[in-house]
Amino acid sequence: MNHRTITLGICAMLATAAFAQKVESYTSTQQNGWEKQKVEVSRNISSKAIELNKNDKAQEVKGIGGCFNEMGWDALQILPAERQQEVINALFSPDGAAFDYCRMPLGANDFSLSYYSYDDTADDFGLQNFNISRDRYILIPYIKAAMKVNPSLRVWASPWTPPAWMKTNNHYASTPHDKYNGLPKERAIADKSTGFKMQDGYLSTYADYFVKFIDAYADEGIKISAVCPQNEPCSNQIFPSCKWRPEDLVYFVGRYLGPTFEKNNVDADIIFGTINTSDPNYVRTAMNDAYASKYVKGAGFQWDGKKTIPVIHEEYPDLMLMQTETECGDGHNSWDYAEYTWDLMRHYFVNGANSYHYWNMILPRPGVSPWGWNQNSMVTIDKATKEVTFNPEYYLMKQLSHNVRTGAYRLNTPADSDMIAFENPDGSVAVIMGNRTDNENPVEFALDGKNYSTVLRPHSFTSILIK
């Protein structure tokens, strides 16, 4: 063998090595939640291929996860310890959904087991009776079980309601009724009013309440990385809630919550949300206020907020945006609803969302809240049979979160493509695609001079991770 032959052989091996790369692909269908998918890789770029460009970057991904709720942990406790761990692993381990940025309620929410706050002593302006004792038995073990599997997990929080004595109707709910825990009917708050008592003593005490919560959780080994001052401030509800006029919530953030965080050196971001109105003026009120805008690090959106996020992203392109809660569904956990959630997921990311959060990770079957709404969850547990079901939206979320890491950047994709793509911090690229038709759908995309092709099954979600 002469030197020329050896040289050509080495060049051929180097060329092969340069072309070879690891490609992982999985598809999810109603029949099979997680199955390997075949992908063809070629140097021949198809004229039909969607061009992906690593230099055509959009927003950075800050994290993906769900919400820790009391009913979820309560349902999980019915299982043997080994099975409990399997469920936690499925949600938080690198082999599972790998959630790394999750939400929790600050006090009672609509999937708590009952009403409560961290200080239910009326007019306790010094918060002498503040405590998180209840959480030590329910939410904190839930969060710590997740942190044990994923030590990098971050947590953010939002209240559904202040303590009842801080509200104009002295009740956890905005429009209480007799079906909720047998409590008597009370007069509903007028639609345009604020449910919080907008007086200095209450406002300053409520700001201190947030600080005490963050400090108490830090003492438990759980850092709260961010807070939204109110869940769905645009709605009166029969479950724990509190409506705020935008100017009042902005006043609280700018004159009380922000300065109190600053004074106490609180290392947690204030995210203006969670906004549930289609009117962008709600967020504009905060961004145009000299006091509040100093402290607001981002805005969070859910429900009708999906109509607001495109406008806010265009007007404030550098503002960090969160999708704070998927829409809840009706408890049927159907494939059709997973396809609807996929459409929402694409909508939020294409319009600038930096993080994406599912609602209930775990619920009993049926997933009925104390106030009577049956809702979807990623995992359902039958308390009678101890059967665990991973629902379609679990696999949809896994397609995203299993492949996309915090610190990734979204890559721009054509508006008419049913895909989203990301470049991870390690340089790997994740492409997630949907096929909501009754037919197979051949798809091709080009990246770094290579052509990737696969056939999407009818009614499927598919991810391709290129390392």
Side-chain angles (χ1 to χ4, degrees):
M1 183 180 294
N2 58 36
H3 291 293
R4 176 178 172 78
T5 303
I6 294 172
T7 301
L8 288 173
I10 291 172
C11 289
M13 285 189 292
L14 289 173
T16 301
F19 180 69
Q21 59 192 152
K22 189 174 182 181
V23 178
E24 295 178 358
S25 182
Y26 292 90
T27 191
S28 300
T29 62
Q30 192 166 8
Q31 294 73 34
N32 195 323
W34 197 252
E35 185 178 4
K36 283 190 174 181
Q37 173 83 358
K38 184 177 180 181
V39 179
E40 299 289 345
V41 186
S42 169
R43 290 189 180 88
N44 300 316
I45 306 298
S46 168
S47 60
K48 298 179 180 179
I50 296 169
E51 291 280 350
L52 298 181
N53 185 349
K54 288 183 178 180
N55 294 319
D56 189 14
K57 289 183 171 70
Q59 76 272 22
E60 183 180 0
V61 176
K62 302 293 187 180
I64 301 165
C67 187
F68 295 103
N69 282 332
E70 285 191 342
M71 283 184 64
W73 183 249
D74 181 66
L76 193 63
Q77 297 316 291
I78 202 71
L79 301 178
E82 182 178 342
R83 190 65 170 132
Q84 287 185 39
Q85 193 60 52
E86 289 175 5
V87 174
I88 293 294
N89 289 347
L91 292 168
F92 297 99
S93 76
D95 293 331
F99 287 160
D100 66 357
Y101 193 27
C102 287
R103 182 186 190 185
M104 67 164 291
L106 204 163
N109 71 356
D110 45 323
F111 277 82
S112 298
L113 297 170
S114 62
Y115 289 129
Y116 78 102
S117 78
Y118 298 126
D119 191 337
D120 287 323
T121 303
D123 299 330
D124 183 14
F125 293 102
L127 297 176
Q128 298 299 312
N129 296 289
F130 182 98
N131 72 84
I132 59 166
S133 298
R134 173 171 171 151
D135 288 6
R136 292 192 181 99
Y137 293 96
I138 308 176
L139 288 176
I140 289 174
Y142 194 179
I143 294 168
K144 286 191 171 181
M147 291 175 65
K148 188 174 181 180
V149 172
N150 184 358
S152 299
L153 177 71
R154 291 161 294 132
V155 179
W156 65 276
S158 62
W160 267 244
T161 179
W165 54 274
M166 297 185 186
K167 294 178 62 183
T168 56
N169 71 343
N170 295 301
H171 201 288
Y172 299 92
S174 293
T175 55
H177 71 115
D178 56 0
K179 285 188 176 181
Y180 196 18
N181 288 349
L183 294 168
K185 292 183 180 180
E186 297 181 26
R187 183 177 60 83
I189 301 169
D191 275 347
K192 294 184 179 180
S193 69
T194 283
F196 192 87
K197 294 176 180 176
M198 294 296 297
Q199 293 143 23
D200 177 74
Y202 294 101
L203 291 162
S204 60
T205 301
Y206 196 36
D208 291 338
Y209 181 87
F210 277 81
V211 173
K212 279 187 168 289
F213 161 74
I214 291 169
D215 287 347
Y217 262 73
D219 289 343
E220 297 292 329
I222 299 170
K223 174 178 170 53
I224 302 300
S225 64
V227 295
C228 284
Q230 176 62 49
N231 177 74
E232 299 183 358
C234 309
S235 298
N236 290 323
Q237 301 287 5
I238 61 173
F239 51 84
S241 56
C242 184
K243 188 170 182 178
W244 293 74
R245 295 185 305 173
E247 58 268 34
D248 290 341
L249 191 59
V250 168
Y251 185 78
F252 170 64
V253 169
R255 276 74 167 181
Y256 292 91
L257 187 61
T260 301
F261 274 24
E262 191 172 53
K263 176 183 175 183
N264 290 277
N265 298 311
V266 174
D267 183 21
D269 290 338
I270 297 173
I271 310 299
F272 195 70
T274 62
I275 304 305
N276 62 318
T277 176
S278 59
D279 184 358
N281 285 319
Y282 205 104
V283 177
R284 288 182 185 134
T285 303
M287 300 313 299
N288 295 336
D289 183 88
Y291 294 93
S293 61
K294 175 183 175 182
Y295 301 108
V296 169
K297 303 301 182 185
F301 304 89
Q302 61 195 52
W303 289 93
D304 251 11
K306 65 177 176 280
K307 300 171 186 175
T308 302
I309 192 172
V311 178
I312 296 303
H313 181 51
E314 182 177 357
E315 294 181 3
Y316 306 95
D318 297 325
L319 184 65
M320 197 277 287
L321 306 176
M322 301 175 76
Q323 185 275 8
T324 49
E325 179 184 308
T326 50
E327 296 181 18
C328 306
D330 56 6
H332 289 112
N333 293 299
S334 67
W335 191 265
D336 286 348
Y337 204 86
E339 291 185 341
Y340 173 69
T341 300
W342 161 247
D343 195 51
L344 289 175
M345 186 184 291
R346 284 191 65 254
H347 170 81
Y348 277 101
F349 276 118
V350 168
N351 288 290
N354 298 94
S355 62
Y356 194 92
H357 306 272
Y358 194 82
W359 176 216
N360 276 294
M361 293 184 284
I362 305 169
L363 282 180
R365 181 185 295 125
V368 180
S369 69
W371 54 278
W373 188 359
N374 191 16
Q375 296 187 2
N376 288 359
S377 59
M378 284 183 280
V379 182
T380 52
I381 297 172
D382 189 314
K383 287 188 171 183
T385 65
K386 301 184 181 180
E387 178 187 5
V388 177
T389 303
F390 290 88
N391 296 313
E393 286 175 283
Y394 166 77
Y395 294 105
L396 169 59
M397 288 296 297
K398 185 178 177 180
Q399 291 285 354
L400 176 72
S401 58
H402 179 78
N403 295 292
V404 180
R405 302 272 59 83
T406 291
Y409 282 87
R410 186 176 68 84
L411 303 179
N412 284 311
T413 52
D416 60 351
S417 67
D418 208 9
M419 72 164 52
I420 44 178
F422 304 85
E423 183 183 12
N424 286 310
D426 64 1
S428 62
V429 172
V431 181
I432 300 99
M433 299 169 286
N435 178 15
R436 290 173 279 176
T437 74
D438 294 333
N439 305 309
E440 291 187 340
N441 182 21
V443 173
E444 296 181 279
F445 63 89
L447 177 70
D448 292 339
K450 302 178 184 69
N451 195 82
Y452 299 85
S453 61
T454 191
V455 177
L456 305 182
R457 299 179 192 179
H459 296 285
S460 66
F461 309 116
T462 300
S463 59
I464 298 176
L465 182 64
I466 303 162
K467 298 183 177 181

